Amino acid sequence: MSHQFLRHFGIIANNKNEKNSAQHYMKVYYLYKKETHDFEFSKPYKTFDVVAGDEEIAKDGDKRVKALYPGYIIFPTTKNPIGGEAFILAEASSV
């Protein structure tokens, strides 16, 4: 079911020949909300891009925002207003 959701929104490719594989889990550990009009990502991130622990994700005014752990970035956007979600960070989880 989760693959159908991700395919519907264009997050993963629609590959009809894809074999079923083991499901992977992620645990959200950080939700960052935009604090200034000067928010920008350090590079062009896409959902489920891998991030390293201590990697600089973005600058928000004078503040540098870094990943706390190795993992994944989810739903990165600069479009939301101040106080809106800019991105979510998640790490691999066994459940």
Side-chain angles (χ1 to χ4, degrees), residues 38 73-74:
D38 296 324
I73 190 165
I74 304 171

Side-chain angles (χ1 to χ4, degrees), residues 21-69:
S21 61
Q23 190 165 2
H24 299 275
Y25 298 92
M26 291 183 211
K27 180 173 115 181
V28 170
Y29 73 83
Y30 190 61
L31 166 74
Y32 187 79
K33 294 184 179 185
K34 187 172 163 181
E35 296 177 1
T36 72
H37 291 289
D38 296 324
F39 177 87
E40 61 183 31
F41 286 102
S42 301
K43 64 182 189 181
Y45 288 103
K46 297 180 308 231
T47 293
F48 300 124
D49 277 351
V50 174
V51 294
D54 206 38
E55 179 176 335
E56 184 175 302
I57 304 294
K59 291 180 187 172
D60 198 355
D62 293 331
K63 181 179 181 178
R64 294 178 185 269
V65 185
K66 294 183 175 188
L68 302 175
Y69 314 109

